[in-house]
Amino acid sequence: SIVPQLKLWATNFPQPIEALYYNTAAGDVYGSDDSTFNVSDRPYFPQIEKGETVVTKVMESRASRQPVILVLLPVFSADSKERIGAIGVTILVRNILSKISLIDPGFRGDVLLIDENGQPLSGRKHSTHGKDSDNETQIIVQSIGTGKEGKERVQLTKAKSTIYYQSIPVAHWR
């Protein structure tokens, strides 16, 4: 009975949203996109069972097979205060990356989005291509390490450069 409400809410959500979902306590999922599946085998399910808010790493959507980030909030019974399920939203990673590509760092600048494992999710290299670009990306990733935000001076292939970085704590990205 919640699916019509999810569909109504989904029409008012911004572009990056893939769909809204309701998860039952048993892990059965009903989506605003009419998808149904079970998530009790997903690694985040124990967190849902405990009534925790969940923000996943990038994963493949069971509904669309696209890379997404899932955000889940527990739903509790008004009477017993017992957890009865969760409301979730999947955010399409491609839509997040398309927003990143709109950042204009100028002719000599580059923009990289790096995941929690130090792997580039997106990036643009204006000044170099191929192997040099891969080497420079590794230098950048190593220079910022696991820092949350800051500024570092590094020697890239052709010149010294300044790297400005900031973390996106919810996704563990930089």
Side-chain angles (χ1 to χ4, degrees):
S1 65
I2 195 169
V3 172
Q5 185 63 48
L6 291 176
K7 287 182 178 186
L8 180 63
W9 290 338
T11 61
N12 295 317
F13 269 79
Q15 180 77 16
I17 302 302
E18 175 191 40
L20 296 173
Y21 297 96
Y22 177 72
N23 293 16
T24 67
D28 296 318
V29 175
Y30 303 92
S32 62
D33 57 358
D34 291 320
S35 60
T36 58
F37 45 90
N38 188 284
V39 294
S40 60
D41 64 328
R42 289 284 197 168
Y44 57 79
F45 192 69
Q47 290 175 271
I48 296 171
E49 289 180 306
K50 293 177 191 171
E52 296 176 10
T53 297
V54 174
V55 179
T56 67
K57 295 179 180 182
V58 175
M59 61 184 206
E60 182 180 276
S61 166
R62 288 222 165 124
S64 68
R65 301 292 182 224
Q66 297 292 311
V68 296
I69 295 172
L70 172 64
V71 180
L72 287 162
L73 299 170
V75 174
F76 298 94
S77 164
D79 300 331
S80 66
K81 307 296 184 212
E82 177 182 343
R83 188 192 61 79
I84 58 173
I87 292 286
V89 61
T90 48
I91 303 167
L92 291 163
V93 172
R94 75 169 181 258
N95 288 341
I96 295 169
L97 299 181
S98 70
K99 301 292 183 202
I100 299 293
S101 69
L102 296 175
I103 298 171
D104 183 5
F107 177 71
R108 295 180 58 192
D110 297 318
V111 177
L112 289 173
L113 181 61
I114 302 167
D115 72 11
E116 66 277 3
N117 299 317
Q119 298 299 312
L121 293 171
S122 74
R124 248 187 339 205
K125 287 290 191 185
H126 293 295
S127 57
T128 61
H129 300 285
K131 196 162 129 182
D132 282 347
S133 179
D134 291 343
N135 290 339
E136 288 183 356
T137 298
Q138 287 306 322
I139 291 168
I140 291 167
V141 169
Q142 290 170 358
S143 297
I144 65 175
T146 58
K148 293 187 182 211
E149 63 181 81
K151 174 176 134 179
E152 300 289 333
R153 292 280 294 157
V154 298
Q155 178 67 48
L156 296 178
T157 307
K158 296 181 180 175
K160 281 198 177 250
S161 296
T162 303
I163 302 167
Y164 297 91
Y165 60 94
Q166 184 171 358
S167 68
I168 305 170
V170 170
H172 306 286
W173 293 349
R174 290 165 286 147

